[in-house]
Amino acid sequence: KEAQEILARVEAALAKGLYRDPDLTLQRLARRTGLTARKISQAVNQARGCSVSDLVNGYRVREAMRLLKESDQTVTQVMLDAGFQTKSNFNRAFRAFAGQTPTAYRRSESG
């Protein structure tokens, strides 16, 4: 129950766009939610079965998918707007989440 409440606070902060902060760290997330980094980490692991960075990357990739589908921004601009700092990290997270590269995703969605 406590894990769900902590997760709800974390996800509320992320849903407000906090995931777009390219310098977002677990410490910064803790400060923004008024929770300890340890509590956040444990709650996310327990309730979602993933790491905090995986959770944040999920938000970022969903935003990137939306932008790739709805805008004509370059892939690099989409990457930056979604909160990623490096192309390698973006491509790795995107492929893990969507099962394809950002470019392939855009092609398949623009069909």
Side-chain angles (χ1 to χ4, degrees):
K1 177 163 168 32
E2 189 192 19
Q4 290 297 337
E5 289 168 10
I6 291 169
L7 186 64
R9 276 169 70 179
V10 168
E11 292 200 315
L14 291 172
K16 285 185 190 136
L18 189 57
Y19 66 88
R20 285 192 190 95
D21 176 354
D23 299 317
L24 184 63
T25 61
L26 180 53
Q27 302 308 358
R28 190 174 281 196
L29 186 57
R31 280 197 301 277
R32 292 293 289 272
T33 55
L35 297 159
T36 66
R38 185 182 170 94
K39 277 197 168 179
I40 292 172
S41 188
Q42 288 174 333
V44 170
N45 277 303
Q46 196 180 333
R48 283 278 183 269
C50 68
S51 70
V52 174
S53 70
D54 288 339
L55 180 73
V56 171
N57 281 344
Y59 276 83
R60 289 175 172 168
V61 169
R62 281 190 290 275
E63 174 67 0
M65 290 169 89
R66 185 186 72 75
L67 291 170
L68 287 166
K69 202 187 317 195
E70 297 174 8
S71 79
D72 53 8
Q73 292 179 331
T74 65
V75 171
T76 301
Q77 192 57 52
V78 165
M79 170 196 95
L80 295 169
D81 286 355
F84 287 99
Q85 285 181 301
T86 65
K87 218 159 192 155
S88 60
N89 192 24
F90 174 56
N91 286 328
R92 186 170 45 251
F94 197 98
R95 187 184 283 275
F97 192 88
Q100 56 189 333
T101 66
T103 307
Y105 176 81
R106 172 171 266 168
R107 272 200 305 266
S108 71
E109 288 301 313
S110 65

